[in-house]
């Protein structure tokens, strides 16, 4: 039962910057996270997402800027006074303590009464379904179990913010799917504000209320998963989140977009100059060119199938159109006879699905 | 497998060959004595002239740092000795004799034995004295301005924390106990050294170290310590080498002898040549040469006239009457008790 | 030989391979260590005659004499507690260095590690003489203390000198052993403790210290054994005032020629080592 999110601002980063030696890793970063929401920091490795998380936790100090939680400035607060629950990529369980004592550690540091420690740690372990392994040492647990202990240990202290640093990257694919659901469920049940660092777009989109896409220490886009996917702010975001076809194009002085050797329609406002045209493969419909060539308000491009890759639930067609190769993905169906290599085809997609960005030279 | 047997066979053959070679070259003798400056000087003064006079015999000098190690080597080689002649401290030679490691020694080995001072012939030891040494007072000439004439200088408060004494169980400490006992009016150290121990108790607060290293001569030469006790022969050699920094005095109260004996190892491989060498080592010429070189007093009474006055003055040879007669075999019986008294009564007072 | 070589190689079980691989070292150990120790044990039942001659008999005299003599009881007690105190001091001084080294990285770490190990490249004798020059009564340290108008204690040729010298000589061993034992200390685990609300002090006590205990135990065992058996430093720096098992063994074996007593004391040292090893494994068992 999801707790309704408030719009109340909870965690705020204000002009945060940090340099390691001569390298300015994060030039200046502003971000505001609402109470009870789960925000993903998404980006390639080295983009500064983990660094930002560690600054929130206090494990490293920003060179300048302010971090506030609920209006309280915590920028210079020592780590142990920040009240953050952190889950590490390696879980970082205390190897010399059993599961129970790992979970109780944070409570002991907070001088909670003995009875409460017993009760709350027990509840936390039940919550992650590990009550039966309470006496085990970390090394006697599987990766997924360790992950859940780490989660229970971070949640049991009822921190003001839960920080997750790539918590799923050490798990196998199946377990990862399971843990995604479990973490999201726990976060929503407790209504805790959470920051989730990941390089996996599926994790970010599927688990989080909002996603921060980062590159080179800057925020490229901050928005809901739908916004990020449907209306990527930059070509980088569009490329990084989901799969895309990238065509070289040009906008003429008359405002007409041309790519793959023919005029195209787009809903974006265009200024003249070279552009990148991005189209997601599954938003393109594929028809034999013998069919009706209705144009409508969308785009139609002629091409020839140059290769077909069968994936199972998907089939990928690589279509040669002018100078470009365009990948089209279709869900596999029985009713239609599959196209063959060398077939002439029409590619159709809507003007809404034509994402146009000024050519950034990359 | 056969290969292994074969190899074993070869090595056995090689081993017996080397034994045979040892037997055939009976004119090669091994002499074992102290390494360091003793070896240097003894080879120059005695071994080389011997080899010159006996071209068919070569002497290999095998140096070891102390008598105990020599005894250990003798023990280890008991079933097949590699050493023919040994020069070591008389007390250790007694132990070696008791364990049957030395062959009997009398005039049949060397006619010179008849000419030795009586102190050089010790009942119950199959070896005879080859050098006499005596305890002396050492001082640093920079730190000690007035040349001391008495052991009492060690007790002088102005040298507090500057006195270096090699304590018991080192026999320098044992000798010094007997000297102290005599100074304090003791008459028979075999009965009691109590008077001497009492005197040493008064010395204790002055002592810097009871364990001078690497020996007592270096720290006094370098000025780490001001005054101390040591053996005459080495002190004289180091004094020559120290640019006048190390002063050596035989105090007026007299001193006690340390005796190095020479012995023939039981079942020595080169017995006959070894006897020849022992005979030479005890001869007046060899004795005189070594005294001139290293200031050990000769044990052969006939050697003294052959030694230059300058050298003899730096040994105890001229003042034999001042020497306390120490029977080292008797002292061995009270050594544990002396050690115990030092440890319980003397050394604790210097902490 | 040739026929065997042509025959198809028989597969060896891992147990056999282990035995085969261990055989050479077992043999070397048996000849180089176990036999001499047995010989030593036998020697401790021999009788010494006045002057040092050894009588090959079987007597409990040495053992009983040792246990009845207060001097030797004190000697054993002193050796053990001085070695323990030196071990503890070495640990306290080495621990921060080892921790810092463990956390540093790159060329800086290499440089520091070389710096730590470099004393081992110099003989303990040379280093001991260095300490004598520094700590002697008119040396720089005592002079400096006097210049401050403070009463200067004698720092050389007594127990203090032995203490200082041995501590410095053992520190590289302790640091290396500690670092070897710091493997379990993951910086993330410390960070986890900090984010869970532990102050640096509590993080140290609750997490760092327990996780480094194996290293501490190893370092202490090593240094204790080295301290008990160290002979050169106490001999050079003790000024003949410090009586320890190792120096007494030397005196009995080399000076007094009482080999049976020296053997008895040596076996006693082995027993002390055995006790230390037992304590070490007990600590490890508790940690696991």
């Amino acid at each position: 039962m999801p707790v309704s999110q408030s719009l109340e601002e909870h965690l705020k980063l204000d002009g945060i910057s940090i340099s390691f030696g001569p390298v300015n890793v994060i030039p200046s970063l502003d971000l505001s996270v609402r109470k009870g929401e789960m925000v993903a920091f998404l980006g390639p490795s080295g983009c500064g997402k983990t660094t930002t998380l560690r600054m929130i936790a206090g494990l490293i100090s920003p060179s300048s800027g302010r971090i506030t939680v609920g209006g309280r400035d915590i920028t210079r607060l020592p780590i142990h006074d920040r009240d953050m629950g952190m889950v590490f990529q390696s879980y970082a369980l205390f190897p010399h303590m059993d599961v129970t004592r790992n979970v109780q550690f944070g409570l002991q540091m907070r001088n909670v009464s003995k009875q409460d420690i017993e009760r709350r740690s027990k509840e936390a372990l039940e919550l992650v379904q590990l009550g039966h392994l309470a006496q085990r040492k970390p090394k006697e647990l599987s990766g997924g179990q360790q992950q859940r202990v780490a989660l229970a240990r971070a949640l049991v202290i009822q921190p003001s913010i839960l920080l997750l640093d790539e918590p799923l990257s050490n798990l196998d694919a199946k377990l990862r799917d399971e843990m995604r659901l479990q973490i999201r469920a726990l976060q929503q049940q407790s209504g805790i504000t959470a920051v989730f660092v990941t390089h996996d777009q599926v994790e970010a989109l599927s688990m989080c209320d909002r996603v921060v896409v980062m590159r080179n220490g800057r925020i490229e886009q901050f928005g809901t998963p739908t916004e990020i996917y449907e209306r990527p702010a930059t070509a980088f975001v569009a490329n990084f989140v989901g799969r895309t076809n990238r065509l070289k194009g040009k906008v003429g002085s008359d405002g007409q977009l041309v790519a793959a050797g023919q005029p195209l329609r787009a809903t974006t406002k265009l200024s003249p100059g070279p552009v990148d045209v991005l189209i997601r493969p599954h938003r393109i419909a594929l028809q034999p060119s013998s069919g009706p060539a209705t144009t409508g308000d969308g785009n139609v491009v002629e091409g020839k199938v140059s290769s077909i890759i069968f994936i199972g639930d998907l089939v990928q067609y690589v279509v040669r159109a002018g100078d470009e190769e365009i990948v089209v993905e279709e869900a596999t169906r029985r009713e239609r006879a599959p196209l063959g290599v060398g077939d002439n085809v029409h590619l159709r997609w809507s003007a809404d699905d034509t994402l146009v960005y000024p050519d950034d030279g990359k | 497998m056969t290969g292994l047997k074969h190899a074993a066979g070869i090595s056995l053959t090689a081993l017996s060959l080397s034994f045979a070679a040892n037997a055939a070259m009976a004119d090669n003798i091994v002499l074992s004595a102290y390494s360091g400056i003793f070896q240097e000087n003894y080879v120059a003064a005695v071994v080389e002239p011997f080899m010159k006079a006996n071209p068919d015999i070569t002497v290999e000098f095998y140096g070891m740092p102390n008598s105990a190690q020599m005894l250990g080597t003798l023990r280890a080689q008991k079933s097949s000795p590699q050493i023919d002649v040994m020069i070591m401290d008389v007390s250790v030679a007694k132990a070696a004799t008791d364990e049957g490691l030395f062959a009997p020694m009398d005039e049949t080995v060397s006619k010179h034995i008849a000419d030795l001072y009586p102190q050089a012939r010790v009942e119950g030891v199959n070896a005879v004295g080859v050098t006499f040494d005596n305890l002396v007072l050492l001082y640093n000439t920079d730190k000690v301005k007035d040349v001391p004439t008495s052991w009492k200088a060690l007790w002088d408060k102005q040298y507090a924390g500057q006195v270096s004494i090699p304590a018991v169980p080192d026999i320098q400490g044992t000798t010094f106990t007997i000297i102290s006992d005599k100074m304090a009016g003791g008459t028979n150290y075999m009965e009691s050294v109590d008077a001497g121990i009492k005197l040493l108790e008064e010395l204790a607060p002055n002592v810097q170290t009871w364990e001078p290293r690497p020996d007592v001569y270096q720290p006094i030469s370098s000025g780490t310590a001001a005054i101390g006790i040591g053996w005459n022969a080495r002190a004289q050699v180091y004094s020559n080498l120290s640019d006048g920094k190390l002063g050596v005095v035989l105090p007026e109260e007299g001193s006690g002898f340390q005796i190095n004996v020479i012995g023939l190892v039981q079942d020595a491989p080169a017995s006959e040549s070894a006897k020849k060498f022992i005979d030479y080592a005890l001869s007046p010429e060899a004795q005189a040469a070594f005294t001139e070189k290293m200031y050990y007093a000769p044990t052969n009474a006939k050697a003294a006239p052959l030694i230059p006055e300058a050298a003899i003055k730096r040994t105890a040879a001229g003042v034999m009457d001042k020497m306390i007669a120490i029977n080292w075999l008797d002292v061995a019986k009270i050594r544990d008790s002396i050690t115990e008294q030092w440890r319980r009564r003397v050394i604790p007072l210097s902490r | 030989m040739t026929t065997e070589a042509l025959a198809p190689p028989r597969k060896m079980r891992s147990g056999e391979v282990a035995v085969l691989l261990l055989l050479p070292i077992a043999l070397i150990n048996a000849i180089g260590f176990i036999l001499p120790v047995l010989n030593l044990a036998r020697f401790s039942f021999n009788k010494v005659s006045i002057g040092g001659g050894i009588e090959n008999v079987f007597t409990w005299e040495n053992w009983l004499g040792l246990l009845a003599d207060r001097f030797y009881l004190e000697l054993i007690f002193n050796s053990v507690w001085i070695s323990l105190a030196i071990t503890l001091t070495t640990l306290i001084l080495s621990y921060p260095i080892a921790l810092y080294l463990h956390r540093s990285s790159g060329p800086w770490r290499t440089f520091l590690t070389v710096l730590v190990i470099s004393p081992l490249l110099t003989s303990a004798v040379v280093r001991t003489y260095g300490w004598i020059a520094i700590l002697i009564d008119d040396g720089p340290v005592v002079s400096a203390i006097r210049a401050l108008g403070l009463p200067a204690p004698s720092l050389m040729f007594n127990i203090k000198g032995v203490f200082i010298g041995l501590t410095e000589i053992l520190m590289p061993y302790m640091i290396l052993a500690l670092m070897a034992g710091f493997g379990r200390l993951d910086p993330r685990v410390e960070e986890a403790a900090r984010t869970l609300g532990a102050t640096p002090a509590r993080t140290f006590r609750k997490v760092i210290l327990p996780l480094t205990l194996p290293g501490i135990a190893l370092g202490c065992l090593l240094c204790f054994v080295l301290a008990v058996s160290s002979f050169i430093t106490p001999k050079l720096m003790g000024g003949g005032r410090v009586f320890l098992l190792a120096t007494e063994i030397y005196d009995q074996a080399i000076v007094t020629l009482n080999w049976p007593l020296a053997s008895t004391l040596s076996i006693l040292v082995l027993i002390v080592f055995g006790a230390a090893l037992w304590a070490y494994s007990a600590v490890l068992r508790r940690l696991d």
Side-chain angles (χ1 to χ4, degrees):
Chain A
M1 185 183 56
V3 174
S4 64
Q5 280 174 37
S6 67
L7 292 176
E8 186 192 332
E9 195 171 76
H10 190 51
L11 168 68
K12 199 163 181 316
L13 309 186
D14 213 346
I16 289 298
S17 80
I18 191 164
S19 303
F20 294 136
V23 188
N24 193 354
V25 179
I26 293 171
S28 177
L29 198 136
D30 299 293
L31 185 72
S32 172
V33 177
R34 292 178 200 135
K35 197 167 180 68
E37 82 173 329
M38 181 138 153
V39 168
F41 287 180
L42 176 67
S45 62
C47 71
K49 55 190 192 298
T50 296
T51 305
T52 309
L53 189 82
R54 290 170 66 78
M55 284 194 287
I56 297 171
L59 296 171
I60 45 178
S61 308
S63 310
S64 64
R66 252 162 49 99
I67 302 172
T68 57
V69 174
R72 177 165 168 248
D73 189 341
I74 62 159
T75 319
R76 301 289 156 212
L77 212 59
I79 313 165
H80 56 271
D81 289 332
R82 292 203 175 196
D83 198 24
M84 306 270 171
M86 186 149 172
V87 176
F88 293 81
Q89 186 173 7
S90 59
Y91 319 134
L93 298 179
F94 304 125
H96 57 301
M97 300 180 190
D98 64 19
V99 167
T100 302
R101 290 191 49 223
N102 261 284
V103 174
Q104 291 179 344
F105 186 85
L107 297 171
Q108 282 164 351
M109 294 305 122
R110 281 166 172 68
N111 299 322
V112 175
S113 79
K114 258 210 170 94
Q115 287 169 320
D116 281 359
I117 290 179
E118 290 292 328
R119 182 179 52 77
R120 282 167 67 179
S121 65
K122 214 166 170 182
E123 283 171 7
L125 281 177
E126 294 303 333
L127 203 63
V128 295
Q129 296 143 39
L130 282 178
H132 59 297
L133 299 178
Q135 311 306 323
R136 294 268 183 97
K137 284 277 178 71
K139 65 177 177 197
E140 297 162 337
L141 301 178
S142 71
Q145 289 165 340
Q146 289 186 36
Q147 163 68 260
R148 272 140 64 195
V149 175
L151 204 58
R153 184 177 70 173
L155 283 173
V156 75
I157 57 173
Q158 297 167 352
S160 64
I161 295 170
L162 179 65
L163 303 172
L164 303 124
D165 184 8
E166 307 237 13
L168 305 176
S169 61
N170 285 343
L171 300 178
D172 60 54
K174 198 159 172 291
L175 204 53
R176 201 152 41 202
D177 289 345
E178 220 177 285
M179 284 307 297
R180 268 211 299 264
L181 295 173
Q182 199 169 7
I183 290 176
R184 178 58 163 164
L186 284 170
Q187 184 264 330
Q188 288 186 324
Q189 272 171 37
S190 54
I192 193 171
T193 311
V195 177
F196 189 106
V197 162
T198 180
H199 63 269
D200 181 339
Q201 41 142 333
V202 179
E203 275 173 20
L205 298 179
S206 65
M207 291 172 71
C208 296
D209 299 304
R210 290 199 288 170
V211 177
V212 178
V213 182
M214 292 181 72
R215 178 167 72 146
N216 296 336
R218 287 170 215 277
I219 294 178
E220 289 274 319
Q221 188 173 5
F222 183 24
T224 63
T226 318
E227 283 166 358
I228 298 281
Y229 193 83
E230 296 296 346
R231 289 188 294 285
T234 63
F236 172 81
V237 175
N239 258 319
F240 191 77
V241 180
R243 290 181 297 278
T244 53
N245 287 295
R246 182 176 189 163
L247 311 181
K248 288 273 158 225
K250 203 174 166 180
V251 175
S253 47
D254 55 350
Q256 179 59 57
L257 170 67
V258 178
Q262 66 175 86
L264 293 177
R265 292 180 200 181
T267 47
T268 328
K269 239 185 146 50
L270 304 172
S271 48
V275 291
D276 278 336
V277 179
L278 277 70
I279 312 133
R280 301 214 182 268
H282 65 283
R283 293 289 168 85
I284 304 173
L286 199 62
Q287 287 173 343
S289 52
S290 55
T294 45
T295 330
D297 58 353
N299 294 306
V300 179
V301 170
E302 278 186 41
K304 192 180 237 183
V305 176
S306 60
S307 68
I308 300 171
I309 302 154
F310 181 73
I311 301 174
D313 48 353
L314 278 181
V315 59
Q316 276 184 349
Y317 297 93
V318 181
V319 178
R320 183 109 218 142
D323 297 339
E324 304 276 3
E325 281 203 323
I326 299 175
V327 177
V328 179
E329 285 177 4
E330 272 192 350
T332 42
R333 275 171 292 195
R334 282 176 196 278
E335 57 265 35
R336 205 181 72 192
L339 293 160
V341 173
D343 290 358
N344 286 318
V345 289
H346 283 151
L347 304 169
R348 291 166 187 278
W349 67 90
S350 75
D352 279 346
D353 285 329
T354 314
L355 308 170
V356 185
Y357 303 94
D359 182 4
D360 60 0
K362 282 175 194 159
Chain B
M1 206 57 215
T2 43
L4 193 69
K5 265 185 191 163
H6 196 68
I10 287 175
S11 60
L12 267 179
T13 318
L15 210 62
S16 44
L17 271 175
S18 71
F19 276 126
N22 259 359
M25 290 165 62
D27 49 355
N28 179 45
I29 67 170
V30 179
L31 162 69
S32 189
Y34 307 104
S35 48
I37 57 166
F38 186 97
Q39 173 168 0
E40 231 169 81
N41 291 301
Y42 200 74
V43 167
V46 182
V47 174
E48 275 165 4
F50 171 77
M51 290 200 286
K52 211 173 230 176
N54 299 275
D56 55 325
I57 303 175
T58 54
V59 179
E60 191 189 321
F61 194 107
Y62 183 61
M64 280 186 262
N66 53 57
S67 300
Q69 200 162 324
M70 297 179 209
L71 176 65
T73 311
L74 282 187
R75 277 174 180 164
Q77 298 178 350
K78 190 170 183 178
S79 56
S80 85
Q82 306 289 308
I83 295 165
D84 301 281
V85 181
M86 194 115 205
I87 294 177
M88 63 183 356
D89 183 80
V90 64
S91 325
V92 183
K94 166 71 172 148
T97 306
D98 290 349
E99 292 177 38
L101 299 169
F102 275 145
M105 176 76 77
D106 52 31
E107 274 88 347
T108 60
V109 175
S110 167
K111 58 186 182 317
H112 295 303
I113 290 180
D115 299 330
L116 300 183
Y117 289 111
Q119 293 98 316
R121 304 189 62 178
V122 186
E123 192 70 30
V125 177
N126 286 354
V128 294
V130 67
T131 67
F132 285 142
D133 205 349
N134 58 285
L135 208 65
V136 285
L137 190 64
L138 313 171
Y139 62 97
N140 180 285
T141 50
D142 290 339
K143 290 195 162 184
V144 179
K145 288 294 169 205
D146 305 323
V147 174
T149 56
S150 161
W151 296 108
K152 293 206 177 88
L154 295 165
W155 277 260
D156 194 329
K157 281 292 158 219
Q158 64 169 310
Y159 305 128
Q162 303 261 14
V163 178
S164 200
I165 305 279
V168 295
D170 191 295
I171 58 168
Q172 293 168 89
T174 317
T175 311
F176 191 52
T177 312
I178 294 168
I179 294 170
S180 301
D181 190 58
K182 193 186 162 208
M183 284 166 66
T187 49
N188 183 352
Y189 61 79
M190 284 307 293
E191 268 168 21
S192 161
V193 289
D194 196 55
I197 293 291
K198 283 213 176 86
L199 196 56
L200 289 170
E201 287 171 12
E202 290 164 28
L203 171 66
N206 258 12
V207 173
Q208 177 186 70
T209 175
W210 299 104
E211 190 121 10
R213 294 277 150 178
D215 52 41
V216 69
Y217 316 100
Q218 313 310 325
I220 296 179
S221 298
S222 69
T224 303
I227 193 163
I229 62 170
W231 294 123
N232 178 63
R234 282 161 192 271
Q236 297 291 351
V237 173
Y238 285 123
S239 176
N240 289 349
L241 296 172
S242 76
D243 244 358
K245 298 278 183 215
L246 181 65
V248 187
V249 164
L250 177 56
E252 59 200 15
E253 295 94 343
S255 184
F257 272 136
Q258 179 269 340
I259 306 166
N260 282 324
V261 294
I262 191 166
L264 180 64
V265 176
Q266 181 72 45
D267 305 323
S271 220
E272 282 317 307
S273 301
K275 285 179 185 169
K276 223 174 190 174
F277 178 79
I278 292 172
D279 183 54
Y280 180 76
L282 295 174
S283 70
E285 306 82 56
Q287 290 272 309
F290 192 48
T291 300
E292 199 179 337
K293 195 100 186 150
M294 210 182 159
Y295 311 103
Y296 280 100
T299 56
N300 189 322
K302 288 186 175 165
L306 307 176
I307 304 167
E309 190 60 21
I312 207 116
K313 270 174 112 174
R314 293 173 73 177
T315 71
V319 284
M320 294 295 267
D321 53 319
K322 273 196 179 177
M323 292 294 130
I324 304 167
I326 300 177
N327 182 333
W328 283 104
L329 303 193
D330 282 348
V331 170
K333 294 175 202 155
I334 57 167
R335 206 170 162 192
D336 280 353
S337 129
I338 291 178
T339 303
E340 204 178 302
Q341 294 183 68
W342 273 69
R343 284 175 170 177
R344 294 200 176 153
R345 294 173 54 186
V346 181
I347 294 173
L349 294 174
S350 73
R351 276 162 215 229
Chain C
M1 190 63 207
T2 43
T3 50
E4 258 175 87
L6 287 173
R10 190 175 62 91
K11 234 188 160 157
M12 286 176 93
R13 275 173 295 142
S14 62
E16 288 177 314
V17 175
V19 167
L20 212 70
L21 288 174
L22 286 174
L23 204 62
I25 189 68
L27 259 168
I28 290 169
N29 227 331
I31 296 168
F33 179 69
I34 295 174
L35 266 180
V37 167
L38 289 177
N39 198 27
L40 206 64
R42 174 66 190 87
F43 245 94
S44 72
F45 294 102
N46 278 341
K47 192 174 153 74
V48 69
S49 61
I50 286 162
I54 292 169
E55 292 167 40
N56 203 357
V57 295
F58 190 92
T59 170
W60 286 92
E61 232 170 72
N62 301 306
W63 284 98
L64 295 175
L66 201 75
L67 298 176
D69 192 333
R70 269 201 53 179
F71 175 80
Y72 286 110
L73 294 181
E74 275 170 26
L75 186 80
I76 296 161
F77 180 76
N78 280 347
S79 288
V80 170
W81 92 251
I82 289 172
S83 300
L84 282 176
I86 287 171
T87 303
L88 191 69
T89 313
T90 309
L91 174 67
I92 291 168
L93 292 176
S94 305
Y95 192 91
I97 299 174
L99 202 58
Y100 183 79
L101 266 172
H102 178 75
R103 287 176 180 172
S104 58
S105 59
W108 180 236
R109 181 193 169 114
T110 313
F111 172 74
L112 290 177
T113 309
V114 168
L115 215 62
V116 163
I117 296 172
S118 58
L120 295 178
L121 306 177
T122 324
S123 105
V125 180
V126 175
R127 283 194 281 156
T128 303
Y129 276 115
W131 275 115
I132 293 176
I134 293 169
L135 295 178
I136 197 149
D137 275 354
D138 44 8
V141 173
V142 174
S143 304
I145 297 175
R146 284 218 187 92
L148 293 172
L150 299 169
S154 216
L155 293 176
M156 188 40 60
F157 300 131
N158 53 30
I159 186 69
K160 294 184 209 101
V162 175
F163 208 101
I164 294 169
L166 266 185
T167 301
E168 187 269 339
I169 280 162
L170 294 179
M171 272 180 70
Y173 297 100
M174 180 63 96
I175 293 172
L176 289 180
L178 285 176
M179 284 175 70
F182 281 0
R184 286 213 296 176
L185 192 61
D186 174 3
R188 298 283 166 266
V189 171
E190 293 170 51
E191 288 179 358
R194 300 280 283 119
T195 58
L196 287 167
T199 58
R202 288 181 96 175
T203 304
F204 178 77
R205 204 156 48 81
K206 293 273 187 180
V207 176
I208 300 177
L209 197 61
L211 286 180
T212 52
L213 267 181
I216 293 174
L218 178 65
C220 286
L221 174 72
L222 187 68
C223 286
F224 177 76
V225 166
L226 288 172
V228 169
S229 57
S230 73
F231 143 74
I232 290 169
T233 306
K235 204 76 180 153
L236 292 179
M237 300 178 87
R241 295 174 174 90
V242 181
F243 297 102
L244 298 173
L245 275 169
T247 54
E248 184 65 14
I249 291 170
Y250 176 88
D251 279 348
Q252 290 298 342
I254 302 297
V255 186
T256 315
L257 285 180
N258 191 341
W259 285 19
L261 182 55
S263 306
T264 312
L265 290 169
S266 302
I267 297 293
L268 212 66
V269 169
L270 273 182
I271 293 171
V272 170
F273 288 172
L277 211 59
W278 175 82
Y280 170 74
S281 49
V283 166
L284 278 200
R285 233 179 295 121
R286 274 207 55 190
L287 287 181
D288 230 37

